[in-house]
Amino acid sequence: MRTGIAVLLLAVSLSGCAPSAVHVSQHDPDNLRPTACEQAWTRARQSEQLHKNQSGNRAQAWTQAARECPARLDEATVHAAQALTASQGGQTNRQTATLRLVQAAQRLDPLANALPVELADQAITGEDRSGFELSVLAARKTDAAWMLTLADAHTAAAQILVGHSKHDPRQGVYPTTDLLAHPDESTDPANGIQTPTPALIEMDTARSLLAVGRKLNGSAGTIRTDVSQNAKSHQEATSALIDMVVAHLSMAMNLGYPATSSALLQTPKH
């Protein structure tokens, strides 16, 4: 699939949250009260024990941690998505995951307003290409109405994002050689895992948006938007990005991407 973006390998299991590779202190060096990030992260970690059988509560706690701790975006969104998919399986829950993605795509305007041109291009192209690839796969199947809905969600996301961009980077049609060679199952170049091809498409889209999110992190750990934008706009842009990433990750796991893979962030070797 895609080889030019940073890749995300999952670091936690469905049964619980593995120790974080990044230490989050409970207090700052001056012994002041915990920051919003520290409080949110602590609540999210505690939710793993307090709400073991309440995946919605755990997902909400980790989503809030992602909002308060942009520098921990990758890890927090993975935990949130794992919580959402912990009890999912089958056609009904696939519809739920698809609806979540459709709804997240419809709420991308705040993020679109915050993206500089080069990052907008990356996010737009990632969504548009994924929509095209899923459409190609759907054309090869007789029971793929759900896949067409998913493809439309990607295409709609790209359309919303491009509506705020200075130009349109969408190509409409993308290379299909690798896709058609492995329409059912593919190898993730990040870790060698064999996974259903639609799941890898979703995972790659999430990785692309996470790369955008990392580049948007400012020195204070907040999304860099135009100076004229207020704190509410910053918060809305952050939430839109996080919701879309979590939706993509959750969809990938629902489609068969292994949720128990050990992981870390790395740059693909060329």
Side-chain angles (χ1 to χ4, degrees), residues 8 22 77 81 116-117 121 130 136 141 156 158 168 181 187 196 213 227 240 269:
L8 174 69
V22 181
T77 51
V117 174
D121 285 358
S130 294
V136 171
K141 299 179 180 295
D168 188 347
T187 300
V227 292
K269 297 180 178 179

Side-chain angles (χ1 to χ4, degrees), residues 108-116 160-161 163-164 225-226 229 233 236-237:
L108 284 176
D109 283 293
L111 179 63
N113 286 325
L115 290 173
I160 291 172
L161 291 171
H164 297 268
T225 52
D226 186 87
Q229 291 184 309
S233 296
E236 290 174 346

Side-chain angles (χ1 to χ4, degrees), residues 210-239:
L210 283 168
V212 168
R214 286 192 294 273
K215 292 174 184 176
L216 281 172
N217 286 343
S219 58
T222 57
I223 277 188
R224 292 200 303 267
T225 52
D226 186 87
V227 292
S228 64
Q229 291 184 309
N230 57 29
K232 182 179 180 180
S233 296
H234 285 267
Q235 185 179 45
E236 290 174 346
T238 303
S239 294

Side-chain angles (χ1 to χ4, degrees), residues 88-99 146 251 254-255:
Q88 287 184 354
Q91 183 68 21
T92 299
N93 287 307
R94 176 179 294 172
Q95 294 172 352
T96 300
T98 303
L99 178 61
W146 65 269
M251 193 74 233
N254 185 277
L255 292 175

Side-chain angles (χ1 to χ4, degrees), residues 35 129 134 139 232 257-258 269:
T35 65
R129 179 167 47 203
L134 287 165
K232 182 179 180 180
Y257 195 93
K269 297 180 178 179

Side-chain angles (χ1 to χ4, degrees), residues 26-36 38-39:
Q26 296 301 308
H27 298 281
D28 63 30
D30 298 321
N31 292 319
L32 301 177
R33 64 181 182 179
T35 65
E38 292 168 337
Q39 293 180 63

Side-chain angles (χ1 to χ4, degrees), residues 11-21 41 45 48 62 75 79 82:
V12 288
S13 67
L14 287 174
S15 60
C17 174
S20 171
W41 199 271
R45 295 298 297 271
E48 294 294 329
W62 281 113
E75 187 177 359
H79 291 322
Q82 282 198 306

